[in-house]
Amino acid sequence: MVTPAQSTWKGNQSLSEWDQIGCTKYASSIYFYAPTTLPFQTITQTLIDSLSHTLPHFYPLAGRLRSLNNGRFQLECNENGAVFIAAELNADLSYFEKDYFTPTLESDCLLLPYVNESLPIHELPLLLVQLTKFSCGGLSLGITTSHVLVDGLSVANFMTEWARIARGLPLQKPPFLDKKAFGVGDCCGSNPQRFDHSNDFGNMPFLLKQPKVEELKKMKTTMFTLKLTKEQVQKLKNKANKDLDRPSRPYTRYEALAAHIWRCSSKARKHDSQQPTACAVTIDSRKRLEPPLPFEYFGNGVFDVTARCTAGELLSSSLSEVASKVRSVIEMVTNDYVLSAIEYLKSQQDLTKFQYSYKSSTNGGGKYCGNPVISVINLVNLPFKGIDFGWGKEIHFGPAYHEIDGDLWIIRNSSDDDESLLIVICLLVEHVEAFKMYFFDDMIN
């Protein structure tokens, strides 16, 4: 257990509504590093010492959660520390790095720290790290954090500062720990609820033809990775903007990609024309507030909004029209919307119905719950790339293994400098080949 090198603030800390909805389990990611001649013991000690000196600044990561009534949590800042594991694996880095690393259950078991979730929540660490040395001298660094405590941007900022301290540099951007902007400490009624949120926060459409229990048991999901070159991304943007009414702002890379992915997933899943579908878009509310929260806000600032329509409408619309649907839900999230949503969640007696685990169902079907929903998570603009602890930048960064049908990440390709993107996707096995075909063919046609 790695504890803070200096004493930190101790006590109980309230969490925001965003901390207590969505995924309330753990989220993991992994970094790969090229072979180095530095002794493994030196690398291990460097990471332990620098982590110990980083935790005083990010002291919530050294604490523990406590479960309150009605699906709510509290953070106990107690300096209990983070788990650090050093391991050696009799395998070459190339075993995992074939064709753009795609996580598997095997890679998670070997390269990520084990979390014993059968323990009481107040005994579970909020940060776990595993450093693994391969027989070729390459390294991996598996990071597991409690999603109740932090979102992806917070983890990325933490990794950036930890790496700086490991290289002997001072902290550059301290975490912003004040949660008052999200209404923490305020009683209900401090902000008016101006919007209808009854369809927000996980209330997704179902398949009209629900699979039987026996069919569900036979279904298997898999993860795969697709590469998009800079030229392909631009071609998709151009296609989305072809029918755009001027002087409208051109559709962004994300809007074009999300629209394209939404259409391809519906085709691959062979939806009937009347089937309701949805594209979940992850929004960072930090920059939607007035004034905006600092980039360094440490906690959860993201939540999902969903664009919805039937499969018939989706597939009969142009890419530009579908991108417009994606944009409309993104632009819906204003300062007033965020504050209204917080007020709505505060008014709920129990938040459990807004929570899910990556191992449980949000849509009645366990890990197959995604169909007819696709969730497009954009990590492109987060500072996950270029994390250098003193032996060079990573050669790959990406999410851990995932079983939820329809979850998808857009990430930068760490191994290239040509601005190419990697699309990491989880789908039912039976839909994978069709999705790949539509994904590339529909860019041209």
Side-chain angles (χ1 to χ4, degrees):
M1 196 70 71
V2 179
T3 56
Q6 295 92 35
S7 182
T8 66
W9 180 85
K10 298 184 185 67
N12 293 328
Q13 190 177 94
S14 297
L15 298 171
S16 77
E17 265 54 44
W18 298 144
D19 295 325
Q20 299 172 92
I21 65 168
C23 178
T24 54
K25 295 295 183 180
Y26 287 86
S28 300
S29 55
I30 191 163
Y31 294 82
F32 287 99
Y33 291 88
T36 174
T37 57
L38 285 172
F40 187 52
Q41 185 176 359
T42 300
I43 292 172
T44 301
Q45 199 59 51
T46 296
L47 287 175
I48 290 174
D49 291 345
S50 57
L51 177 58
S52 180
H53 284 87
T54 306
L55 285 176
H57 306 286
F58 294 83
Y59 63 84
L61 286 171
R64 298 293 184 267
L65 290 176
R66 290 195 176 273
S67 182
L68 305 177
N69 293 329
N70 303 324
R72 287 177 164 83
F73 303 92
Q74 186 177 62
L75 174 64
E76 181 183 357
C77 298
N78 54 19
E79 298 183 348
N80 278 10
V83 169
F84 187 96
I85 299 166
E88 296 190 50
L89 185 62
N90 187 22
D92 195 273
L93 181 60
S94 61
Y95 177 75
F96 296 98
E97 271 288 287
K98 292 177 286 190
D99 300 325
Y100 308 109
F101 171 72
T102 298
T104 63
L105 184 59
E106 179 193 27
S107 66
D108 270 20
C109 291
L110 293 172
L111 306 179
L112 288 177
Y114 170 70
V115 181
N116 184 1
E117 294 191 56
S118 66
L119 293 173
I121 191 172
H122 63 271
E123 295 182 18
L124 288 170
L126 304 180
L127 169 65
L128 303 94
V129 179
Q130 180 174 321
L131 171 69
T132 305
K133 179 186 177 183
F134 300 102
S135 56
C136 62
L139 302 166
S140 71
L141 194 63
I143 309 296
T144 297
T145 52
S146 168
H147 213 319
V148 174
L149 188 65
V150 287
D151 60 13
L153 177 54
S154 295
V155 175
N157 287 335
F158 164 73
M159 294 298 293
T160 299
E161 296 304 324
W162 180 16
R164 283 181 57 85
I165 289 174
R167 300 197 311 273
L169 300 174
L171 190 78
Q172 186 176 47
K173 297 179 180 180
F176 185 82
L177 300 170
D178 191 339
K179 297 180 181 287
K180 290 189 181 68
F182 287 138
V184 175
D186 294 339
C187 61
C188 277
S190 57
N191 291 298
Q193 186 183 319
R194 300 178 178 176
F195 296 83
D196 178 11
H197 300 284
S198 57
N199 285 322
D200 292 346
F201 313 120
N203 187 6
M204 298 295 187
F206 285 79
L207 281 174
L208 295 178
K209 297 178 181 178
Q210 281 286 308
K212 296 179 180 178
V213 175
E214 295 77 14
E215 294 174 324
L216 280 174
K217 290 179 180 178
K218 296 177 182 178
M219 292 179 181
K220 301 293 181 185
T221 56
T222 188
M223 293 187 74
F224 58 101
T225 302
L226 302 177
K227 179 183 176 181
L228 271 178
T229 65
K230 178 182 178 181
E231 291 72 25
Q232 287 172 316
V233 173
Q234 189 59 51
K235 183 178 294 184
L236 200 57
K237 282 183 64 178
N238 292 342
K239 185 176 180 179
N241 286 296
K242 181 180 178 181
D243 301 322
L244 181 68
D245 292 332
R246 301 294 188 252
S248 298
R249 175 172 56 87
Y251 291 116
T252 65
R253 172 178 56 190
Y254 176 77
E255 290 165 343
L257 269 171
H260 178 62
I261 289 164
W262 187 8
R263 285 167 49 88
C264 293
S265 67
S266 185
K267 285 184 178 182
R269 289 163 165 173
K270 299 179 181 178
H271 289 151
D272 293 337
S273 61
Q274 297 304 310
Q275 173 62 56
T277 70
C279 178
V281 178
T282 301
I283 300 291
D284 183 3
S285 62
R286 292 169 176 83
K287 53 189 177 184
R288 305 294 172 135
L289 291 175
E290 297 175 1
L293 273 175
F295 184 77
E296 297 79 24
Y297 172 78
F298 194 71
N300 283 280
V302 300
F303 62 94
D304 290 342
V305 291
T306 52
R308 302 166 188 250
C309 68
T310 64
E313 181 183 355
L314 178 67
L315 300 182
S316 64
S317 300
S318 68
L319 185 64
S320 180
E321 290 169 328
V322 179
S324 176
K325 295 180 186 298
V326 174
R327 171 173 288 182
S328 66
V329 297
I330 293 174
E331 293 185 339
M332 171 184 71
V333 183
T334 61
N335 176 72
D336 287 344
Y337 184 92
V338 173
L339 297 180
S340 174
I342 291 171
E343 204 60 42
Y344 169 76
L345 292 169
K346 280 187 174 185
S347 71
Q348 301 298 304
Q349 290 188 348
D350 193 329
L351 291 181
T352 306
K353 63 182 178 181
F354 305 113
Q355 300 168 351
Y356 63 89
S357 160
Y358 287 136
K359 297 179 181 179
S360 66
S361 170
T362 57
N363 202 13
K367 61 188 176 185
Y368 318 112
C369 63
N371 192 1
V373 179
I374 194 81
S375 177
V376 185
I377 303 165
N378 185 17
L379 301 182
V380 172
N381 296 320
L382 302 191
F384 280 112
K385 188 176 178 181
I387 303 300
D388 181 3
F389 290 92
W391 41 87
K393 297 177 181 180
E394 80 285 350
I395 58 175
H396 175 82
F397 160 80
Y401 179 64
H402 207 67
E403 292 184 308
I404 304 298
D405 172 27
D407 275 8
L408 177 151
W409 296 260
I410 305 173
I411 62 176
R412 291 188 184 276
N413 186 3
S414 296
S415 60
D416 289 342
D417 293 323
D418 61 357
E419 299 183 39
S420 63
L421 301 178
L422 298 180
I423 314 296
V424 186
I425 316 166
C426 180
L427 285 177
L428 287 180
V429 172
E430 63 191 76
H431 298 148
V432 170
E433 292 307 315
F435 181 89
K436 290 179 180 179
M437 178 185 70
Y438 293 125
F439 186 82
F440 290 109
D441 287 355
D442 286 7
M443 287 186 193
I444 302 170
N445 301 325

